[in-house]
Amino acid sequence: MPHEIRPGIRRLLRLATRRGMEQDADEEIRIHLQLRARQLMDEGMSASDANDEARRRFGDVDGERRLSRAVAGRQERRARWTDGMDRLRGDLRYALRTLRLDAGFTVFALVILALGIGASATVFSLVNGVLLRPMPFANPSRLVWIGNVADNGVDDWRVQVGHFVDLGTRSKSLSGIAGYFGYYSVGDAALTMHGVTQRLTRVPVTCGFFPLLGVTPELGRSFTAEECGRDSGSTTAILTDRLWREQFGADPSVIGRVVTVSDKSVQIIGVLPASFDFSSVFTPGTAADLFVPYPLSERNNRDGNTLAVVGRLRPGVSIAQANVELKALGRQLTAEFPQRNPIRPRIESLDAHVNGRFRPALMMLAFAVAAVMLIVAVNLASLQYARMSARGRELALRVALGAARGRIVRQVLTESLLLACGGAAIGVTLAILATRYLSHLRAFDIPLLSRVHVDASVVIATTLVAVLAGVVVGLLPALQSPADPNDALKDGTRGATRGGQHARVRSALVVTEIAAALVLLVASSLLLRSFVRVLDADLGFTPEHLFRLRVDPPVAPRDLAAATAYYDEVLRRIRSTPGVTAASLSDMLPFTGDRSWGVPGENQAYQRGHLPEGFIRFVDADYFRTMGIPLEKGRDFAEGDDPTAPRVVIINESMARKLWPGGDPIGQRVVQGPRHLTVIGVVGDVRHATLESPFTGEVYFPMRQSYGYTRVDLVVRTSLPISGFAAAARTALAPVAPDAVRNSWSTMQTLIDQVASPRRFLVLLLSGFAAFAVAIAALGIYALISFGVTQRRQELGIRIALGATTNDVGAAIMRETMRLTLVGIVLGTLAAVLVVPAMNSMLFGVTWRDPVSFGCGVAALVVVAGAAGLVPARRAMRVDPSTALRAG
Amino acid sequence: MANDILPILKGTLDTLVLKALCWTPMHGFEITRWVETRSSGALDLRDSALYQALHRLEERDMVTAQWGITENNQRARYYKITRTGRAHLAAETARWLRYAATVTGILTAAAGPA
């Protein structure tokens, strides 16, 4: 291999001249001058004349000296670089050869590194995209969410228009406030173009909404004060970038065009930038299409708490200061305007409001991933360690033959780094695929998820982690490389002292893996059990065999009579469809909205601000039977509950307890503005916001008596599968509801899944990590015990020859396995007790002390570790004493 | 006599040094003496200029240097031409000859319109 020798020779040659290249440069000039002088003296010059003449002929001696020193320095650096590259090439070639020879190890190491790094990069991308990256607004850290504390002191109410105006003008800690109408509903507007009508989501916003967020329209302009003042419905609109591209073909001339939205002419005045994603911040999982002005008018003020409010802090003002000021202002306004709803402002940073719910979950995932990476690194270190001790003789021989210790360390490090970089390359690829998949999931209701992707910072961080892992993994065994070659050479494969030390270090590593795996197992069983509890929670209705379809026409019926006629026909047709056992209508199914208002009992005096609140639903007859909500008392709505009949209402049990504690609500009356409505029935409680939230009051109004609804869902109970049923239903409904049949049917279960999705997301990821961790820990145990059995073949052979039964041998191996496992479990339990309490806020129905979760974690580890130890134990039992002894 | 000393043309010194080395490795003073002898002292050459040429050639991998011992048992830095240097020398020599022949041809022909 001449090309391997050559750099070596070059190095040797250079070593001889190393003694200062700069001195050499001076020396060369000195010799030249000396030779020249001698030549001149030979020609007959005197010694001093000859020296002067030599210098004269040379020219600028000092300049040349400087120049040649510089050149020498450059050459030295170049030579060093070439040598370094040669050495690196050599190390890489050596590492590649070693890795190729040990293909099993290499593949295993690459796989676990790639999975570990892939998981880390994915979770880091999530944390980065959802928590760390600023929101797509100007100076987002100064933006605050201004909530209005509900009577129960926990929930957040919207803010009434009058209060909104007064807060804006009186507050000194805010430089501005803005808001959007909090009760817009998805798809409640219809855009008619070229004779085709399309459902859109229209969000009414206050005049200063876009300027406050620092969002400037890409085309056109924002709303003017005059436009925001018109109380007779909106006449101007601003489009989102998506709507502009999809419906108007990204046509810049769209500005100024008049289109028909919900049968009204609306002029398009602006297009928002693509970076502005309203829904992913404020209402994740839905879409917003166009924005219209929301006038701060007396009429809107009468609608009560309608505005979701954001504000911008004045420079230098903290959130705490703003809170103090606004709380005082809230008390002042409540006292000053008794005719308005009370207001109790609560300020938090917009970021905390949007992401706060997910922060603990994502932080937990980050920790989980750190634990997984720890296990991966420890496992690789342990394996490298085993390989090093197997190669102990080879290394000792090389040391004996003169290989520098540093060089061996460097080669092991090169090997580890090579593995780490290979793992990182595969891992980052996996992460890119995983994040692409995650960010396109509509099923998960997580803000800003769509913005998540693997970016440069993630790749850099991941590579750093990989390099760090490589160094840790490489350094530990490398430093253990034999100090005294004599020992190692004499030691052989049977050595007691060195082998013993190796085993101790590797045992410690395996114990670490088991401990970390246990923490992950406990955390994931706690979450899993919470998840099961959440799904088990009594919904208050029966979601099985329940389908829903949005049926309100794109252009709302002009009055109650028209609406009733339309919906009656829809119901008549769907009820006569084969397989349908029950069908009804609701304007707000469970989990689809949080509209609530005060429903006081007749002739009752309530303290101001303590009006009984209920979630409001408009439903048709037979709704409760269709949904499977039990009718506890009284009667259901009937088709006869129309505008000519006495006004009626149905309440749930919680509301009944709130309104008439201990009394019979049937026949009692509640007050809604000028009207008094008689309670005709009491139904069971239903979950309304999330699966975890407690039951609260609900008030059902009959759809036939008041026209206070826009969106309407048809719910159908049928024994048919969805595919067959949907086709039949489409045929039945097509003549009366041609637009509605274009919507797709979904099951009630889908809605529940969507509500449970963030939790399921977390459970899935964490369980995946835990399973991965346990598998790797099991492999670690297996590798260690198996290695021990191989090393102790001879000892085992002797034992068997001396009369130990194979069972004794197997039991000894299993005892060893279990000893390691138990130490790991004890340490892991201690670690879990320290770590797990931090996730209390994510648990439901269990506490972090849950003995079942701890027990399951321990049991799973014992079983898996036992299985991992069983394989080498069985091998040990089959050791044939005669061959084992001879082999030694 | 002073009138007979020619200024050296830019770039030709490097070629001359390569020519000096193409027979045998030499140290700096030997190269100086070689050029002086071959030119019979007709070239105006500072010794430092020669070392600058050597640095240039060394950095362009046309010569390599290493310390050795002279016949008089003195340490000296010997320069050796590389393969690149030889190729460069051949190319430069051919170029120089063509250039000189062309210029000579023009200058020695009878004057007149082209």
Side-chain angles (χ1 to χ4, degrees):
Chain A
M1 272 183 274
H3 59 287
E4 254 190 343
I5 294 164
R6 217 180 47 192
I9 286 181
R10 200 166 64 223
R11 235 182 344 265
L12 277 178
L13 288 176
R14 233 194 38 259
L15 276 177
T17 66
R18 245 317 149 70
R19 29 160 237 126
M21 279 207 157
E22 292 188 351
Q23 282 162 14
D24 283 356
D26 295 353
E27 171 102 344
E28 187 172 22
I29 297 170
R30 197 181 57 74
I31 293 169
H32 181 97
L33 293 174
Q34 193 186 332
L35 287 171
R36 175 67 92 188
R38 192 174 300 155
Q39 175 228 332
L40 291 170
M41 282 194 288
D42 286 351
E43 288 170 17
M45 246 185 225
S46 75
S48 69
D49 283 354
N51 278 335
D52 289 348
E53 177 62 10
R55 279 184 166 274
R56 196 192 61 77
R57 289 220 197 161
F58 193 88
D60 183 2
V61 174
D62 288 334
E64 165 56 20
R65 196 172 281 152
R66 271 197 304 279
L67 184 70
S68 62
R69 280 182 181 190
V71 170
R74 268 206 300 279
Q75 277 170 348
E76 171 69 13
R77 277 193 296 279
R78 198 165 67 158
R80 238 182 253 159
W81 168 254
T82 324
D83 283 352
M85 291 313 286
D86 279 340
R87 233 172 333 187
L88 182 64
R89 249 200 309 276
D91 286 342
L92 279 177
R93 218 183 354 253
Y94 180 83
L96 280 174
R97 196 162 53 217
T98 330
L99 289 176
R100 217 177 20 241
L101 284 177
D102 205 348
F105 164 78
T106 308
V107 169
F108 173 72
L110 279 179
V111 166
I112 64 171
L113 269 171
L115 288 176
I117 291 172
S120 318
T122 308
V123 167
F124 186 58
S125 297
L126 273 176
V127 173
N128 191 29
V130 177
L131 292 189
L132 304 180
R133 206 175 304 165
M135 290 198 258
F137 308 133
N139 205 353
S141 61
R142 304 300 292 166
L143 289 173
V144 290
W145 177 266
I146 304 172
N148 180 9
V149 183
D151 283 344
N152 64 15
V154 181
D155 290 338
D156 222 11
W157 279 344
R158 309 294 190 208
V159 175
Q160 199 170 3
V161 165
H163 287 317
F164 173 84
V165 173
D166 289 335
L167 283 179
T169 48
R170 296 190 193 184
S171 163
K172 291 182 179 58
S173 49
L174 300 171
S175 64
I177 68 174
Y180 62 89
F181 177 63
Y183 296 101
Y184 75 89
S185 60
V186 173
D188 65 356
L191 172 72
T192 309
M193 275 174 62
H194 318 298
V196 180
T197 299
Q198 163 122 19
R199 257 182 215 291
L200 293 180
T201 300
R202 173 177 53 184
V203 185
V205 298
T206 64
C207 208
F209 189 68
F210 297 116
L212 182 97
L213 296 179
V215 174
T216 330
E218 194 76 14
L219 290 175
R221 58 175 175 85
S222 205
F223 299 116
T224 63
E226 189 271 327
E227 282 161 354
C228 297
R230 289 179 207 160
D231 202 10
S232 54
S234 52
T235 53
T236 51
I238 297 179
L239 309 181
T240 59
D241 181 76
R242 197 176 53 81
L243 183 70
W244 177 57
R245 286 179 195 285
E246 287 176 4
Q247 291 299 317
F248 299 94
D251 177 7
S253 73
V254 77
I255 303 299
R257 194 188 296 179
V258 174
V259 292
T260 308
V261 176
S262 298
D263 271 356
K264 292 205 177 74
S265 294
V266 170
Q267 187 182 30
I268 298 169
I269 59 159
V271 176
L272 291 166
S275 62
F276 177 73
D277 193 352
F278 174 86
S279 50
S280 83
V281 174
F282 293 105
T283 56
T286 65
D289 298 305
L290 77 168
F291 295 87
V292 294
Y294 183 75
L296 301 173
S297 61
E298 188 46 42
R299 200 175 77 173
N300 282 335
N301 186 48
R302 277 199 300 276
D303 286 347
N305 298 340
T306 52
L307 278 170
V309 184
V310 288
R312 192 175 276 282
L313 293 175
R314 258 186 219 290
V317 177
S318 72
I319 289 184
Q321 289 165 336
N323 245 326
V324 169
E325 195 221 12
L326 272 112
K327 275 196 166 60
L329 207 49
R331 278 192 297 274
Q332 188 190 329
L333 289 173
T334 307
E336 198 174 325
F337 299 100
Q339 74 280 15
R340 290 187 197 161
N341 291 333
I343 174 146
R344 286 176 287 262
R346 170 168 58 190
I347 297 193
E348 56 184 326
S349 81
L350 184 59
D351 181 59
H353 175 77
V354 171
N355 294 321
R357 209 151 53 96
F358 297 96
R359 189 175 296 274
L362 287 172
M363 290 321 281
M364 191 197 63
L365 281 182
F367 277 110
V369 138
V372 167
M373 269 321 278
L374 172 76
I375 295 177
V376 165
V378 164
N379 197 292
L380 284 183
S382 165
L383 282 176
Q384 283 280 48
Y385 216 87
R387 294 176 68 229
M388 287 300 283
S389 50
R391 277 158 65 189
R393 278 164 81 96
E394 175 213 326
L395 294 175
L397 201 64
R398 290 180 54 201
V399 170
L401 289 176
R405 203 171 144 68
R407 182 156 177 90
I408 290 178
V409 171
R410 213 179 50 229
Q411 277 173 350
V412 177
L413 262 181
T414 312
E415 194 178 298
S416 305
L417 285 176
L418 201 63
L419 280 177
C421 291
I426 308 175
V428 168
T429 315
L430 288 179
I432 289 173
L433 295 176
T435 33
R436 192 169 299 166
Y437 175 70
L438 284 179
S439 63
H440 285 84
L441 283 184
R442 282 259 160 265
F444 292 121
D445 188 9
I446 296 175
L448 308 176
L449 186 63
S450 56
R451 292 199 296 149
V452 167
H453 63 273
V454 177
D455 62 13
S457 67
V458 172
V459 172
I460 291 168
T462 311
T463 316
L464 280 182
V465 167
V467 168
L468 205 67
V471 170
V472 170
V473 166
L475 218 51
L476 194 60
L479 291 178
Q480 278 304 126
S481 64
D484 181 0
N486 280 333
D487 275 0
L489 285 174
K490 273 187 301 204
D491 184 20
T493 49
R494 256 172 294 161
T497 45
R498 177 139 222 104
Q501 194 191 339
H502 270 191
R504 263 199 307 283
V505 175
R506 292 194 63 204
S507 301
L509 292 177
V510 168
V511 163
T512 314
E513 288 180 53
I514 295 173
L518 181 66
V519 176
L520 283 177
L521 268 179
V522 170
S524 69
S525 4
L526 281 171
L527 275 188
L528 191 64
R529 278 169 56 76
S530 301
F531 186 57
V532 171
R533 290 280 166 89
V534 167
L535 291 187
D536 273 356
D538 179 19
L539 296 170
F541 64 95
T542 323
E544 291 82 15
H545 306 294
L546 209 51
F547 299 140
R548 66 186 186 112
L549 176 74
R550 184 167 180 178
V551 286
D552 55 307
V555 176
R558 63 189 178 281
D559 56 19
L560 181 58
T564 307
Y566 170 77
Y567 291 119
D568 271 348
E569 186 59 17
V570 166
L571 277 177
R572 193 188 63 75
R573 283 169 173 270
I574 207 75
R575 280 177 181 144
S576 57
T577 306
V580 171
T581 53
S584 186
L585 305 166
S586 167
D587 81 323
M588 197 174 278
L589 290 171
F591 311 121
T592 57
D594 65 348
R595 175 187 52 192
S596 67
W597 64 58
V599 183
E602 194 182 45
N603 302 326
Q604 302 266 332
Y606 297 100
Q607 251 186 320
R608 183 160 175 241
H610 289 83
L611 218 54
E613 279 261 330
F615 280 87
I616 306 299
R617 317 250 183 253
F618 287 85
V619 301
D620 199 18
D622 219 20
Y623 174 74
F624 302 106
R625 189 173 72 89
T626 311
M627 289 290 284
I629 300 171
L631 181 68
E632 303 290 351
K633 272 183 192 160
R635 67 163 179 93
D636 188 3
F637 294 128
E639 292 193 3
D641 291 322
D642 58 23
T644 61
R647 297 293 173 132
V648 291
V649 68
I650 292 177
I651 58 177
N652 72 347
E653 291 179 298
S654 290
M655 196 67 197
R657 273 196 301 276
K658 234 193 252 190
L659 282 168
W660 300 283
D664 182 7
I666 303 294
Q668 302 274 16
R669 306 222 287 174
V670 296
V671 184
Q672 282 295 284
R675 296 210 165 84
H676 292 231
L677 295 75
T678 308
V679 176
I680 55 162
V682 176
V683 293
D685 291 346
V686 170
R687 303 265 167 214
H688 52 85
T690 67
L691 295 167
E692 292 96 327
S693 51
F695 291 126
T696 60
E698 283 163 312
V699 180
Y700 296 90
F701 295 108
M703 287 174 73
R704 291 162 190 279
Q705 285 190 334
S706 51
Y707 194 20
Y709 46 88
T710 48
R711 116 163 242 161
V712 173
D713 272 300
L714 172 65
V715 278
V716 175
R717 187 168 288 281
T718 166
S719 49
L720 295 176
I722 191 163
S723 52
F725 169 70
R730 186 170 299 124
T731 320
L733 291 182
V736 283
D739 292 301
V741 295
R742 285 212 309 270
N743 301 333
S744 54
W745 284 89
S746 62
T747 62
M748 211 55 197
Q749 192 59 46
T750 325
L751 200 58
I752 296 166
D753 289 346
Q754 175 105 18
V755 179
S757 66
R759 197 172 268 282
R760 189 172 50 241
F761 182 73
L762 201 60
V763 168
L764 276 179
L765 276 182
L766 199 66
S767 309
F769 291 160
F772 180 56
V774 171
I776 296 181
L779 281 169
I781 298 171
Y782 166 78
L784 178 68
I785 301 292
S786 183
F787 184 72
V789 168
T790 313
Q791 290 229 308
R792 286 161 60 198
R793 257 171 77 85
Q794 210 165 20
E795 179 209 324
L796 295 172
I798 293 173
R799 279 203 198 182
I800 293 171
L802 291 179
T805 66
T806 52
N807 279 342
D808 292 341
V809 170
I813 303 290
M814 286 310 284
R815 261 201 306 280
E816 170 70 13
T817 311
M818 282 304 143
R819 201 176 53 82
L820 282 180
T821 313
L822 285 182
V823 176
I825 284 173
V826 169
L827 289 178
T829 310
L830 289 177
V833 167
L834 290 176
V835 171
V836 171
M839 52 187 284
N840 231 349
S841 69
M842 281 171 282
L843 302 182
F844 178 83
V846 290
T847 66
W848 70 267
R849 288 189 192 81
D850 180 40
V852 178
S853 297
F854 274 86
C856 285
V858 169
L861 266 184
V862 168
V863 169
V864 172
L870 208 56
V871 182
R874 289 177 63 92
R875 200 151 52 80
M877 288 162 73
R878 284 198 304 271
V879 167
D880 175 5
S882 55
T883 42
L885 288 173
R886 237 178 296 140
Chain B
M1 180 72 179
N3 285 347
D4 289 330
I5 292 189
L6 304 169
I8 192 147
L9 288 175
K10 216 169 172 269
T12 45
L13 181 56
D14 293 13
T15 322
L16 292 182
V17 169
L18 288 175
K19 179 72 182 175
L21 293 175
C22 81
W23 174 245
T24 175
M26 291 184 195
H27 55 75
F29 186 64
E30 279 180 314
I31 303 171
T32 318
R33 287 299 291 155
W34 188 88
V35 176
E36 280 171 3
T37 317
R38 288 297 172 105
S39 67
S40 316
L43 291 175
D44 175 21
L45 187 60
R46 295 266 161 187
D47 296 359
S48 56
L50 185 113
Y51 281 95
Q52 282 158 20
L54 282 170
H55 294 321
R56 272 196 301 276
L57 290 170
E58 201 177 353
E59 291 207 286
R60 288 161 67 198
D61 282 331
M62 296 200 185
V63 301
T64 59
Q66 83 194 56
W67 285 89
I69 304 294
T70 66
E71 293 144 40
N72 303 332
N73 244 348
Q74 200 170 11
R75 255 168 58 81
R77 196 156 191 242
Y78 277 90
Y79 292 89
K80 192 177 146 194
I81 190 165
T82 64
R83 205 175 300 169
T84 328
R86 280 184 199 283
H88 186 72
L89 174 64
E92 279 302 294
T93 309
R95 218 164 66 91
W96 176 262
L97 288 179
R98 264 189 60 208
Y99 177 76
T102 312
V103 175
T104 310
I106 296 168
L107 292 179
T108 51

